[in-house]
């Protein structure tokens, strides 16, 4: 009797296992009960606040209701519900009972949190949402001056749903004007890192002076959102970064960047550059960290610059403005580092880089011992 080769036997076993798994998935996958859409509340945004005195979570959910109205002219119907509970799951269960629908976070792409919530255990904050209610790991984390339930309930000029607006704005405009896209996954990972710090958009909503007009006239109180600030924090402290420093922080920490950069001289000359791309290399040698950031830009606009010609990206004066802007960025990065040390919030995530160089012998919370320097290069290119 011919002996069966080991390689042949293993191959047959592999295919047999794959076939069994496929049969199980097909059979049992078809028998899993899936809730109907008309029985589900498709949540677009969820807000979480925390009252330190009572120890209660204040949870809000904005959902779009499916099947409320039919026909070609049917519009989306948004519903806001709110509940309190000792745990996040308890509050969400109460919201589900109020709505008479099953709460689903599978399509929720925005998580609003108050600064008070960010001082709690970050993993215990995230796990109930991702583990029990299927919140996507790519959901975007934001905070704001107003309470989460107040921000979510605002009527905006471009859309009725503030979570939908933020989802579109932060997904498409990362790195522009201080907007930072920090996902739930990023938030959890950075909270467990040596730096233990995060940066997320900080929203301030203001009433529009000239609200959009409808067929019936003015559409009531309408608000606009300012996303040009960043909230940097760890488990104990937080700080708001504003203006040009928030914009630079977004440029430094974001993966993909869009938007424009501006440099204005003391005599009022101003140039606007469109961002084409970014490369950043951060190296650590012990406790010394060096960042080399290279931006490629194209000339977008020129105002109040004395010239007899129409300037282009090839002109020397344009390159000089770009070099001056690069030097300004280097100075502000150094100032951001000093701010992080003064506040004890490693929002540049430099301790992570030092840990990669030093290893396990790196002391905990050694931000004051680090040395940071940065070089910024801005290359002006002409787009086709």
């Amino acid at each position: 009797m011919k002996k069966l080769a080991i390689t042949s036997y293993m191959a047959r076993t592999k295919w047999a296992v794959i076939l069994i798994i496929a049969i199980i998935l097909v059979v049992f996958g078809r028998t899993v009960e899936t809730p109907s859409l008309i029985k589900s509340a498709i949540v677009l945004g969820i807000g979480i606040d925390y009252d330190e005195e009572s120890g209660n979570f204040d949870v809000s959910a904005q959902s779009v209701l499916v099947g409320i109205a039919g026909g070609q002219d049917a519009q989306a119907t948004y519903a806001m519900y709110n509940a309190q509970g000792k745990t996040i799951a308890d509050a969400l269960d109460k919201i589900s009972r109020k709505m008479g629908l099953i709460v689903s976070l599978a399509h929720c792409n925005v998580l609003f949190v108050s600064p008070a919530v960010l001082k709690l255990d970050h993993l215990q904050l995230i796990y109930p949402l991702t583990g029990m209610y299927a919140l996507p790991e790519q959901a975007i984390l934001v905070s704001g001056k107003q309470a989460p339930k107040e921000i979510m309930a605002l009527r905006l000029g471009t859309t009725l749903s503030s979570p939908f607006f933020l989802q579109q704005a932060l997904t498409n405009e990362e790195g522009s004007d201080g907007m930072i896209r920090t996902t739930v996954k990023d938030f959890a990972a950075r909270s467990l890192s040596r730096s233990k710090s995060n940066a997320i958009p900080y929203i301030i909503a203001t009433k529009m002076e000239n609200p959009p007009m409808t067929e019936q006239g003015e559409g009531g109180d309408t608000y606009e959102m300012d996303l040009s600030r960043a909230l940097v924090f760890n488990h104990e402290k937080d700080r708001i970064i504003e203006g040009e420093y928030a914009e630079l922080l977004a440029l430094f920490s974001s993966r993909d960047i869009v938007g424009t950069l501006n440099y204005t001289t003391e005599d009022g000359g101003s140039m606007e550059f469109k961002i084409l791309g970014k490369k950043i290399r951060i190296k650590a040698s012990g406790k010394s960290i060096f960042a080399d950031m290279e931006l490629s830009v194209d000339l977008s606009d020129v105002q109040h610059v004395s010239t007899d010609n129409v300037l282009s990206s090839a002109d020397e004066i344009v390159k000089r403005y770009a070099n001056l802007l690069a030097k300004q960025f280097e100075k502000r990065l150094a100032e951001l580092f000093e701010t992080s040390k003064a506040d004890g919030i490693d929002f540049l995530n430099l301790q992570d880089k030092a840990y990669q160089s030093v290893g396990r012998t790196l002391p905990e919370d050694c931000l004051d011992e680090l040395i940071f320097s940065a070089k910024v290069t801005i290359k002006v290119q002409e787009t086709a």
Side-chain angles (χ1 to χ4, degrees), residues 304-315:
H304 309 298
V305 175
S306 299
T307 178
D308 296 329
N309 303 316
V310 176
L311 295 178
S312 69
S313 297
D315 290 303

Side-chain angles (χ1 to χ4, degrees), residues 77-201:
T77 301
Y78 300 100
M80 264 282 297
Y81 283 83
N82 176 258
Q84 292 78 37
K86 289 295 183 182
T87 65
I88 296 173
D90 179 29
L92 283 173
D93 287 343
K94 291 178 181 178
I95 290 176
S96 182
R97 290 194 293 271
K98 286 182 179 181
M99 300 181 71
L101 297 169
I102 300 171
V103 172
S104 170
L105 301 184
H107 297 85
C108 177
N109 290 300
V110 180
L111 172 60
F112 297 80
V113 289
S114 67
V117 169
L118 296 174
K119 290 183 173 61
L120 304 176
D121 188 295
H122 292 173
L123 290 185
Q124 292 184 14
L125 170 66
I126 295 300
Y127 175 73
L129 302 174
T130 57
M132 297 175 60
Y133 294 93
L135 178 73
E137 292 182 347
Q138 297 305 314
I140 300 168
L141 202 73
V142 297
S143 188
K145 183 177 181 179
Q146 293 91 340
K149 62 183 177 183
E150 294 177 6
I151 296 176
M152 293 173 62
L154 296 178
R155 177 192 179 101
L156 304 183
T158 54
T159 176
L160 293 178
S161 171
S162 59
F164 183 74
F165 163 80
L166 288 170
Q167 173 190 335
Q168 296 298 315
L170 294 172
T171 299
N172 297 330
E173 300 294 332
E174 182 186 15
S176 173
D177 299 328
M179 290 192 286
I180 299 174
R181 185 172 64 210
T182 298
T183 66
V184 168
K185 182 179 180 180
D186 295 333
F187 169 68
R190 291 169 186 167
S191 297
L192 293 173
S193 70
R194 278 301 183 104
S195 296
K196 303 175 184 177
S197 301
N198 278 275
I200 62 176

Side-chain angles (χ1 to χ4, degrees), residues 141-358:
L141 202 73
V142 297
S143 188
K145 183 177 181 179
Q146 293 91 340
K149 62 183 177 183
E150 294 177 6
I151 296 176
M152 293 173 62
L154 296 178
R155 177 192 179 101
L156 304 183
T158 54
T159 176
L160 293 178
S161 171
S162 59
F164 183 74
F165 163 80
L166 288 170
Q167 173 190 335
Q168 296 298 315
L170 294 172
T171 299
N172 297 330
E173 300 294 332
E174 182 186 15
S176 173
D177 299 328
M179 290 192 286
I180 299 174
R181 185 172 64 210
T182 298
T183 66
V184 168
K185 182 179 180 180
D186 295 333
F187 169 68
R190 291 169 186 167
S191 297
L192 293 173
S193 70
R194 278 301 183 104
S195 296
K196 303 175 184 177
S197 301
N198 278 275
I200 62 176
Y202 186 80
I203 301 167
I204 295 181
T206 56
K207 187 181 295 186
M208 295 181 66
E209 296 182 0
N210 300 302
M213 301 291 290
T214 65
E215 294 181 358
Q216 291 77 29
E218 292 188 3
D221 291 341
T222 307
Y223 290 79
E224 56 187 355
M225 291 187 175
D226 184 353
L227 305 176
S228 64
R229 296 170 179 82
L231 178 69
V232 297
F233 61 92
N234 52 31
H235 290 86
E236 300 175 351
K237 306 172 185 177
D238 60 69
R239 179 189 179 94
I240 299 171
I241 306 295
E242 301 187 64
E244 295 168 339
Y245 290 93
E247 181 180 352
L248 180 57
L249 177 60
L251 289 173
F252 183 82
S253 60
S254 297
R255 297 183 184 91
D256 303 314
I257 57 175
V258 296
T260 59
L261 305 172
N262 178 270
Y263 184 78
T264 302
T265 60
E266 294 181 356
D267 60 4
S270 181
M271 287 191 188
E272 194 88 6
F273 299 97
K274 179 183 178 181
I275 302 173
L276 301 177
K278 180 191 82 167
K279 294 180 182 178
I280 184 167
R281 293 173 292 275
I282 304 177
K283 299 179 180 179
S285 177
K287 296 179 183 178
S288 298
I289 296 95
F290 173 72
D292 184 2
M293 185 165 69
E294 180 180 308
L295 299 171
S296 56
V297 300
D298 184 21
L299 181 64
S300 177
D301 193 7
V302 177
Q303 297 294 333
H304 309 298
V305 175
S306 299
T307 178
D308 296 329
N309 303 316
V310 176
L311 295 178
S312 69
S313 297
D315 290 303
E316 288 300 321
I317 188 173
V318 176
K319 296 178 181 179
R320 181 166 63 85
Y321 268 67
N323 290 333
L324 290 172
L325 180 59
K327 295 299 180 184
Q328 185 183 79
F329 280 173
E330 291 177 357
K331 178 183 176 182
R332 288 176 177 168
L333 278 173
E335 292 171 350
L336 281 174
F337 174 61
E338 293 301 323
T339 299
S340 72
K341 289 200 300 182
D343 292 341
I345 307 172
D346 186 15
F347 52 83
L348 296 177
N349 301 118
L350 299 181
Q351 291 183 84
D352 294 347
K353 296 298 179 181
Y355 181 75
Q356 294 173 12
S357 174
V358 177

